[in-house]
Structures are given as structure tokens and as C-alpha cells.
Amino acid sequence: MFKAKMVSILTLTAALLAGCATTRAPETRLDYAKSSDFSVYRTFGFPAETGTDRGGYSTLVTSYFKSAVTTAMEARGYKYAQEKPDLLVNFFMNTTERTEYRGSRGAGYGYYGYRYGLYSPWPMYEEDRSVTYKYGTINVDIVDAEKKQLIWEGVSEGRVTKEALENQKVT
């Protein structure tokens, strides 16, 4: 039951990444401690400094995550507690540059890939090229605050576009 509740929390945070993604949905996966009794937890909070804080201050990304996580946790019956929560929710976000090499030769490259060798390439067609893009990862960790033990983890990964970053709408 806890797993089902937490899937939607990760889905919500994945939506933050999806707002930055192309038409492909982010890849999402989760894991949890099978031996934990999740029914004993009633409250949640955040660590003094989250994984998205930088240089000793809270970032805008931190406030977006805190808002999204608070909404999702409270919708599932958990209460926010600033002092001594049962669960600590932490999050991390990272973007990196990736480069893919895309060759045009042979079947499988676009619609006309099967024609390679039958006709000369069309003017202005690149035969081989590399594409560089941003790739983002979001981690959401839920920790038993008393034991300081990770009990649930969700990860969402996907491609980030400049246009999506510029057009984000945050409520």
C-alpha cells in the first residue's frame, strides 16, 4: 500500500522533469525496503539542507520540490511536521550534457534509411552527425528519521529541452 502511495509522489516529481522533457515521458523507477512497516509513519518533513540546496541557501528548485512533495504527502494523509517528523523527504536533481552519434547508413535511420545505397543522398542531408543535449535526473528519497535509514527511493530520468525550460509554468 505504501508503495502505491509513493509511486504517485514520484509521478508528481517526475512531472517536474516532464515539464522539461521532450515528447518522450521520463523513465521512472522505484525501490523500497520490503522489511519496513510503513503503517507506523504519520508525519513527514525535510532535512535542514536538501540535495537541491546550493552554497548554504535554498534554491528555487528546492521550493518547487517541497511544494510538490507536501501536496502529494498531505493528499495521502501524512501531516507535515517541522519538528521530529517520522519521515524525512530529500530530493536531488542533476543535469548533464549527453552526446549521441547518429549515422544515416542502413535501415532503421528514419523513414528513408532503407534506401541508402539505392540513390545518392539528397542535397543538404548529413550522412553522419552527433547530437548534444541535456539529460536530467531527479531522485526522491524517503528516510526513516529515527533510524536514519532509506526506506523508499524513486528516480526519474529524461531529456531536457531549452524550450521547455523557458516555458515552465510553476504554480
Side-chain angles (χ1 to χ4, degrees), residues 41-45 73 78-81 84-88:
Y41 304 113
R42 303 277 182 252
T43 61
F44 75 96
M73 293 292 279
Y78 296 96
K79 302 287 183 213
Y80 174 76
K84 298 184 181 183
D86 299 330
L87 300 170
L88 288 174

Side-chain angles (χ1 to χ4, degrees), residues 101-119 121 125-128:
Y101 175 75
R102 297 182 181 172
S104 62
R105 298 188 178 145
Y109 185 80
Y111 179 75
Y112 296 104
Y114 70 93
R115 291 183 177 179
Y116 187 82
L118 297 175
Y119 308 101
Y125 249 48
E126 294 180 31
E127 289 200 22
D128 297 318

Side-chain angles (χ1 to χ4, degrees), residues 124-162:
M124 306 298 287
Y125 249 48
E126 294 180 31
E127 289 200 22
D128 297 318
R129 62 187 170 126
S130 62
V131 176
T132 302
Y133 58 90
K134 286 188 185 272
Y135 193 81
T137 303
I138 294 174
N139 289 59
V140 178
D141 294 342
I142 299 180
V143 175
D144 181 307
E146 184 178 314
K147 296 178 184 175
K148 303 287 187 217
Q149 181 178 354
L150 181 69
I151 60 170
W152 187 91
E153 176 184 38
V155 180
S156 185
E157 298 179 306
R159 190 171 177 171
V160 180
T161 65
K162 182 179 177 183

Side-chain angles (χ1 to χ4, degrees), residues 1-14 26-34 38 138-142 150-157:
M1 181 166 97
F2 185 80
K3 179 181 173 184
K5 287 181 179 181
M6 294 301 123
V7 168
S8 53
I9 290 172
L10 182 61
T11 303
L12 184 61
T13 56
E27 179 184 320
T28 304
R29 60 187 179 280
L30 63 93
D31 196 10
Y32 65 99
K34 278 78 171 164
F38 296 107
I138 294 174
N139 289 59
V140 178
D141 294 342
I142 299 180
L150 181 69
I151 60 170
W152 187 91
E153 176 184 38
V155 180
S156 185
E157 298 179 306

Side-chain angles (χ1 to χ4, degrees), residues 12-90:
L12 184 61
T13 56
L16 290 171
L17 183 61
C20 307
T22 62
T23 55
R24 290 179 66 189
E27 179 184 320
T28 304
R29 60 187 179 280
L30 63 93
D31 196 10
Y32 65 99
K34 278 78 171 164
S35 61
S36 292
D37 179 9
F38 296 107
S39 66
V40 301
Y41 304 113
R42 303 277 182 252
T43 61
F44 75 96
F46 302 101
E49 187 171 317
T50 67
T52 54
D53 292 337
R54 298 286 186 261
Y57 62 89
S58 183
T59 65
L60 291 174
V61 171
T62 299
S63 63
Y64 300 152
F65 276 121
K66 281 183 176 181
S67 176
V69 167
T70 298
T71 299
M73 293 292 279
E74 288 178 347
R76 281 148 193 83
Y78 296 96
K79 302 287 183 213
Y80 174 76
Q82 190 168 348
E83 299 290 325
K84 298 184 181 183
D86 299 330
L87 300 170
L88 288 174
V89 182
N90 200 359

